[in-house]
C-alpha cells in the first residue's frame, strides 16, 4: 500500500515540446535581408525561393505573399545593394579636367565630374557582385535605392542644359552601359583563366594578315590599349556628349 501511494504521489514536471523560440513574423524586408546574406556567403545562384524558405524556416508558398518569383527576388537584392552606391559625387573630377560649360551646380562643382563619380560608384558596386551584374541586365530593380539613383542621375544630367527628353532617355543609356560593362568585366575576371584568355585574344589580333585584315592591322595596338579606368572614362564622355548633343526622335527643335 505504501509503495503504491509513493508512486502515485510523485508527479513529473511537464516539459514543453517547443525547443526553440517562436519564429519572427515574415516581412519583405526580412526576406530580402536574408537573401542578401545568402548571396554574400554562397553566391546568387543559391538565392532561390526554396533555399530562402529553408533559411527562414517556412514553406516556399509563404514567401510568394511578399515576393512574386525569383526574378523579383533578385531585383530586390540588387536594389538593396544599390544602397551602397555613393550618390554624393564628392569625388567629382579628380584631375580637374572638366569641359567648358560643365561648371555649375552645388558648391560650383562640375556636374559632369559628379555624374561620372556616381556612375563609377554604381559600376564598382556591380563589380563586387559579378553574378548580380549579369542578373541586372534583365532584372531591373524598382525599390527606393533604385529610385534615388535615377533621381540623382536625372538631376545631374539636367544641369547640362539638355532637353528633358534627352535627359530622360540618357539615364537609361548610362545605366545600361554601366551595367553591361560591369557584367562583361566580372565575367572576364571570374573566368577560369582570365589572363590566358586575354593574352590569347590579343595574340589573335596581332597575328592577322595585313592583306586580308588591313583595318585590324592599321588599328593595332590601339585596339587593346588603355587601362580599364581610361576606357570607362572615355566611354562615359562619349555617352554624355552623345546624349546632350543628339535630339530625341520627334523632339521639337
Amino acid at each position: 500500500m505504501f509503495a503504491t501511494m509513493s508512486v502515485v504521489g510523485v508527479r513529473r514536471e511537464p516539459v514543453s515540446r517547443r525547443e526553440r523560440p517562436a519564429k519572427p513574423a515574415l516581412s519583405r524586408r526580412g526576406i530580402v535581408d536574408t537573401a542578401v546574406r545568402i548571396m554574400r556567403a554562397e553566391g546568387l545562384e543559391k538565392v532561390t525561393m526554396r533555399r530562402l524558405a529553408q533559411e527562414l524556416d517556412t514553406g516556399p508558398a509563404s514567401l510568394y505573399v511578399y515576393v512574386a518569383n525569383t526574378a523579383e527576388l533578385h531585383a530586390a537584392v540588387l536594389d538593396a545593394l544599390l544602397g551602397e552606391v555613393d550618390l554624393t559625387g564628392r569625388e567629382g573630377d579628380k584631375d580637374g579636367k572638366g569641359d567648358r560649360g560643365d561648371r555649375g551646380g552645388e558648391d560650383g562643382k562640375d556636374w559632369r565630374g559628379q555624374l561620372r563619380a556616381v556612375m563609377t560608384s554604381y559600376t564598382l558596386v556591380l563589380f563586387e557582385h559579378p553574378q548580380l551584374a549579369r542578373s541586372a541586365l534583365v532584372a531591373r530593380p524598382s525599390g527606393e535605392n533604385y529610385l534615388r539613383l535615377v533621381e540623382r542621375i536625372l538631376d545631374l544630367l539636367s544641369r547640362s542644359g539638355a532637353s528633358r527628353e534627352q535627359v530622360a532617355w540618357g539615364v537609361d543609356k548610362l545605366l545600361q552601359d554601366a551595367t553591361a560593362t560591369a557584367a562583361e568585366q566580372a565575367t572576364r575576371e571570374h573566368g577560369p583563366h582570365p589572363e590566358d584568355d586575354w593574352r590569347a585574344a590579343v595574340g589573335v589580333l596581332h597575328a592577322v594578315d595585313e592583306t586580308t585584315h588591313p583595318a585590324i592591322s592599321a588599328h593595332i595596338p590601339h585596339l587593346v590599349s588603355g587601362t580599364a579606368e581610361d576606357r570607362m572614362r572615355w566611354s562615359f564622355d562619349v555617352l554624355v556628349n552623345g546624349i546632350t548633343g543628339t535630339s530625341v526622335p520627334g523632339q521639337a527643335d
Side-chain angles (χ1 to χ4, degrees):
M1 179 177 177
F2 291 105
T4 303
M5 289 178 62
S6 64
V7 172
V8 173
V10 177
R11 300 179 63 85
R12 298 182 59 188
E13 181 74 20
V15 178
S16 174
R17 294 183 178 181
R18 177 171 290 179
E19 299 177 352
R20 55 188 171 184
K23 296 181 293 185
L26 286 176
S27 66
R28 182 179 174 88
R29 174 65 180 272
I31 290 171
V32 173
D33 287 347
T34 302
V36 171
R37 178 162 52 81
I38 293 174
M39 189 207 69
R40 292 186 187 278
E42 305 175 28
L44 186 64
E45 73 276 5
K46 297 296 184 181
V47 182
T48 64
M49 301 298 271
R50 183 177 297 276
R51 174 70 178 84
L52 202 53
Q54 292 174 347
E55 188 72 17
L56 294 170
D57 192 20
T58 188
S62 300
L63 302 180
Y64 289 107
V65 176
Y66 304 91
V67 184
N69 48 47
T70 302
E72 183 179 319
L73 178 62
H74 287 181
V77 170
L78 173 59
D79 185 76
L81 290 173
L82 290 183
E84 300 175 5
V85 177
D86 182 2
L87 300 180
T88 65
R90 288 194 191 97
E91 296 297 318
D93 199 350
K94 287 184 177 180
D95 59 11
K97 296 178 181 178
D99 295 337
R100 288 188 177 183
D102 288 351
R103 295 290 169 181
E106 56 198 43
D107 299 327
K109 291 182 179 178
D110 169 20
W111 68 262
R112 183 185 290 253
Q114 287 184 318
L115 180 57
R116 182 186 292 114
V118 170
M119 296 309 304
T120 298
S121 179
Y122 169 76
T123 307
L124 292 178
V125 167
L126 292 184
F127 273 5
E128 295 177 4
H129 308 284
Q131 294 170 318
L132 198 60
R134 292 191 291 271
S135 176
L137 291 173
V138 293
R140 174 164 295 185
S142 57
E144 284 302 315
N145 290 324
Y146 172 74
L147 294 177
R148 278 192 284 268
L149 174 63
V150 172
E151 174 72 17
R152 182 60 167 155
I153 297 173
L154 283 170
D155 174 57
L156 289 171
L157 191 54
S158 65
R159 300 181 195 183
S160 67
S163 69
R164 289 187 176 182
E165 294 90 343
Q166 290 168 300
V167 170
W169 284 31
V171 169
D172 183 63
K173 203 63 189 169
L174 285 170
L175 287 173
Q176 184 183 62
D177 182 77
T179 303
T181 298
E184 179 186 27
Q185 188 70 17
T187 300
R188 288 177 179 174
E189 292 182 353
H190 291 79
H193 305 288
E195 293 184 0
D196 292 342
D197 291 343
W198 174 248
R199 282 194 292 267
V202 172
V204 168
L205 292 174
H206 279 283
V208 298
D209 188 335
E210 184 177 359
T211 59
T212 56
H213 300 88
I216 293 178
S217 297
H219 291 85
I220 288 291
H222 306 296
L223 283 173
V224 293
S225 66
T227 64
E229 291 76 13
D230 287 340
R231 282 179 172 260
M232 283 179 59
R233 181 189 179 90
W234 182 82
S235 179
F236 170 86
D237 285 336
V238 167
L239 284 175
V240 171
N241 291 341
I243 290 167
T244 58
T246 307
S247 298
V248 170
Q251 178 181 332
D253 295 333

